[in-house]
């Protein structure tokens, strides 16, 4: 039995059929197998059918993906849409290329899938339909399809792309280049480190039962590191949900070292404080600042001994528009000479006082226990290897808020959770895509804060909504954006981007 493709031309279009040539009672007979659809490229065996879309078929190789150039040329979106959303994707692409040093870095992460990468970054930042299944639909109606015409956004293609993006080789190459750009002279830096739980029920090695501050979930943990001065995300890694923060600090700092980042100071939350970490930080001569958990003996001893005398004028420290009482005390940090900074935040105290006191009275607690509870309200303990004034220690510790803001960007603007990923390989790519999106969003947000005049309300999310309303008309060889409104021009002016009259493509 032989097999061949039969071509027929009808009404100016060439169609193809798959035929089996067989012999019946010694006579040759052609048997129809199936229609291959319209012929798009006879030499390369590319066809389009209602069932398969645009695809490739050869007698030797069978069915396969079509070459990207043919698929894009003959896509339904290419034929059908004449008016596209324009301003939001145009602005982000121009911002990346003209206002940041990272365009070539992003272009080179997966060169053969550059358009898919950049399309998905814009999709995650610009839309509230964050499930990957909507990416192709968004791409068809947005100027991103002109910017990135070779994007392959069908569900299976995205899964394959995420697997490639999440590979260890891509991870190391990207972070080595990125961190080399941030620290070209290998200078030391201070880092903020924290983790967040990513709840999911996917059956993979990273998913485990976690008890984090009494909150029990099936999750994995994602660790982010940011620069305490520039607020830029530096690094990410992930581990099973049942791995404690305490055990991840040294590994994270060591991996940064292998990538060329010299850590001189670590700012961490209470979950990272342990004797082993303190010993390691002192041994490596790394300064550190960390909050101490309320369950720690050091916290209980300091609060019990000094909290009652803390509300004195000599301990007042201004912080923003409020006053915090704070006192520095020399302490033993697991065998090392260090300092504790005992604080009382009156705003926090006042918020909790009524609720806690009423609950304690309702529960008929002993007066001594009520006094102990009230004494702890609003109190916190910061420990450090460094001796500094309280007015320096307080803002230094509260720079930790920066990493919470980066997590907020990742979760709310780059759609870190809830996870809709069905495998560890694609999960790693999803997390890398989120990290790349967070870098771009953080840069844009910082630029807007820096250049926005007091009283103006220009921010990334609002700008995306405003600019989405700027449409463009697509002609055979040129795109003509519609005239921007005043609000649109305000955004463009802030970022020093010009809205063009026409764009050849």
């Amino acid at each position: 039995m032989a097999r061949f493709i039969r071509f027929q031309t009808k009404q100016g279009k060439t169609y193809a059929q798959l035929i089996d040539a067989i012999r019946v009672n010694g006579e040759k007979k052609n048997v129809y197998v199936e229609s291959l659809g319209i012929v798009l490229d006879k030499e390369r065996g590319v066809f389009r059918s209602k069932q398969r879309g645009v695809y490739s078929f050869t007698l030797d190789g069978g069915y396969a993906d079509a070459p990207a150039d043919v698929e894009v040329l003959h896509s339904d979106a290419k034929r059908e849409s004449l008016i596209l959303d324009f301003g939001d994707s145009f602005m982000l692409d121009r911002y990346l290329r003209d206002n940041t040093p990272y365009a070539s870095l992003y272009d080179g992460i997966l060169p053969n899938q550059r358009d898919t990468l950049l399309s998905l970054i814009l999709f995650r930042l610009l839309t509230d339909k964050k499930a990957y299944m909507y990416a192709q639909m968004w791409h068809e109606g947005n100027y991103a399809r002109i910017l990135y015409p070779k994007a392959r956004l069908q569900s299976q293609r995205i899964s394959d792309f995420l697997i490639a993006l999440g590979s260890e080789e891509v991870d190391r190459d990207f972070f080595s280049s990125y961190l080399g750009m941030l620290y070209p002279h290998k200078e030391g830096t201070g880092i903020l480190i924290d983790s967040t739980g990513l709840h999911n029920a996917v059956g993979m090695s990273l998913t485990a039962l976690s008890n984090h501050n009494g909150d029990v979930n099936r999750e994995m943990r994602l660790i982010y590191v940011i620069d305490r001065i520039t607020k830029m995300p530096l690094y990410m890694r992930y581990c099973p949900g049942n791995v404690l923060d305490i055990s991840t600090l040294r590994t994270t700092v060591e991996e940064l070292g292998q990538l060329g980042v010299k850590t001189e100071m670590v700012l961490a939350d209470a979950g990272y404080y342990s004797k082993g970490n303190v010993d390691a930080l002192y041994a490596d001569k790394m300064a550190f600042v960390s909050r101490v958990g309320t369950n720690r003996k050091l916290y209980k001893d300091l609060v019990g001994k000094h909290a009652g005398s803390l509300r004195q004028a000599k301990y007042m420290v201004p912080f923003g528009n409020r006053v915090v009482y704070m006192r520095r005390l020399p302490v033993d940090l697991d065998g090392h000479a260090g300092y504790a900074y005992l604080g009382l935040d009156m705003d926090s105290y006042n918020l909790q006082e009524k609720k806690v006191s009423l609950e304690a009275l309702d529960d008929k607690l002993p007066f001594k226990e009520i006094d102990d509870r009230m004494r702890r309200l609003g109190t916190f303990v910061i420990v450090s290897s460094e001796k500094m004034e309280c007015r320096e220690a307080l803002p230094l510790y509260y720079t930790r808020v920066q990493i919470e803001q980066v997590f907020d960007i990742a979760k709310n603007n780059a759609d870190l959770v809830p996870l809709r990923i069905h495998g560890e390989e694609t999960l790693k790519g999803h997390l890398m895509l989120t990290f790349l999106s967070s870098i771009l969003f953080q840069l844009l947000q910082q630029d807007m804060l820096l250049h926005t005049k007091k009283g103006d309300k220009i921010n990334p999310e609002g700008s995306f909504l405003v600019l989405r309303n700027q449409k463009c008309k697509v002609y055979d060889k040129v795109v003509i954006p519609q005239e921007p409104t005043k609000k649109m021009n305000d955004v463009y002016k802030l970022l020093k981007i010009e809205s063009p009259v026409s764009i050849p493509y």
Side-chain angles (χ1 to χ4, degrees), residues 2 22 56 75 101 159 174 212 226 243 268 275 283 331 359 467 498:
I22 64 174
S56 175
S75 69
S159 295
F174 168 74
H212 193 72
I226 72 171
V243 174
K275 184 181 187 309
V331 291
E359 286 177 353
L467 291 172
E498 289 188 14

Side-chain angles (χ1 to χ4, degrees), residues 278-504:
V278 169
D279 289 343
L281 291 167
Y282 271 101
D284 293 337
K285 295 181 171 56
M286 289 184 196
F288 67 89
V289 176
S290 175
R291 187 170 63 85
V292 176
T294 57
N295 61 332
R296 294 274 180 178
K297 183 177 184 298
L298 178 60
Y299 170 86
K300 294 176 181 177
D301 288 348
L302 290 173
V303 170
K305 186 174 181 181
H306 300 287
S309 60
L310 195 56
R311 290 184 63 176
Q312 299 184 52
K314 63 181 178 180
Y315 298 134
M316 286 181 177
V317 176
F319 185 66
N321 60 355
R322 67 182 192 264
V323 170
V324 176
Y325 295 95
M326 201 164 197
R327 182 178 178 186
R328 184 184 68 217
L329 300 159
V331 291
D332 177 271
L333 298 179
D334 296 298
H336 306 276
Y339 300 89
Y341 300 84
L342 173 63
L344 171 61
D345 185 337
M346 290 307 300
D347 282 17
S348 176
Y349 179 92
N350 292 331
L351 284 173
Q352 299 176 68
E353 180 185 21
K354 182 177 180 180
K355 180 177 181 290
V356 172
S357 58
L358 288 175
E359 286 177 353
L361 290 172
D362 286 344
D363 293 340
K364 299 180 179 179
L365 298 179
F367 292 145
K368 183 179 183 305
E369 186 173 342
I370 295 176
D371 287 338
D372 289 340
R373 288 193 179 188
M374 300 303 290
R375 189 180 300 113
R376 292 196 297 270
L377 290 184
T379 59
F380 59 92
V381 173
I382 299 168
V383 293
S384 177
S385 57
E386 305 300 295
K387 183 179 181 180
M388 64 191 91
E389 297 297 325
C390 290
R391 64 178 60 245
E392 298 175 83
L394 188 60
L396 183 62
Y397 173 73
Y398 274 105
T399 55
R400 277 199 63 263
V401 174
Q402 296 166 6
I403 201 164
E404 294 171 4
Q405 291 171 344
V406 171
F407 273 133
D408 182 66
I409 290 170
K411 289 183 175 181
N412 296 325
N413 299 101
D415 194 42
L416 179 60
V417 289
L419 294 181
R420 306 178 187 92
I421 303 297
H422 300 288
E424 193 166 325
E425 290 180 314
T426 50
L427 168 65
K428 292 176 180 178
H430 169 73
L431 296 178
M432 175 59 82
L433 186 69
T434 300
F435 188 85
L436 295 171
S437 303
S438 298
I439 291 173
L440 185 56
F441 190 94
Q442 179 76 341
L443 285 168
L444 181 62
Q445 182 166 261
Q446 289 180 3
D447 264 0
M448 287 186 166
L449 285 173
L450 181 64
H451 296 109
T452 301
K453 295 178 182 178
K454 189 175 182 180
D456 288 349
K457 296 181 179 180
I458 298 180
N459 56 58
E461 297 97 326
S463 298
F464 298 156
L465 290 173
V466 167
L467 291 172
R468 185 181 304 165
N469 289 325
Q470 185 185 16
K471 311 299 181 182
C472 68
K473 291 184 178 181
V474 182
Y475 294 89
D476 287 343
K477 296 182 180 179
V478 69
V479 171
I480 300 181
Q482 301 305 285
E483 297 86 344
T485 65
K486 181 183 181 303
K487 287 186 177 180
M488 296 171 189
N489 273 325
D490 287 343
V491 178
Y492 285 136
K493 184 177 179 181
L494 182 71
L495 299 174
K496 298 180 180 179
I497 295 173
E498 289 188 14
S499 177
V501 175
S502 65
I503 307 171

Side-chain angles (χ1 to χ4, degrees), residues 195 208-210 212 221 223 239-248:
S195 71
L209 198 63
S210 165
H212 193 72
R221 293 207 72 75
I223 302 162
C239 59
N242 57 2
V243 174
L244 299 177
D245 287 342
I246 288 173
S247 61
T248 64

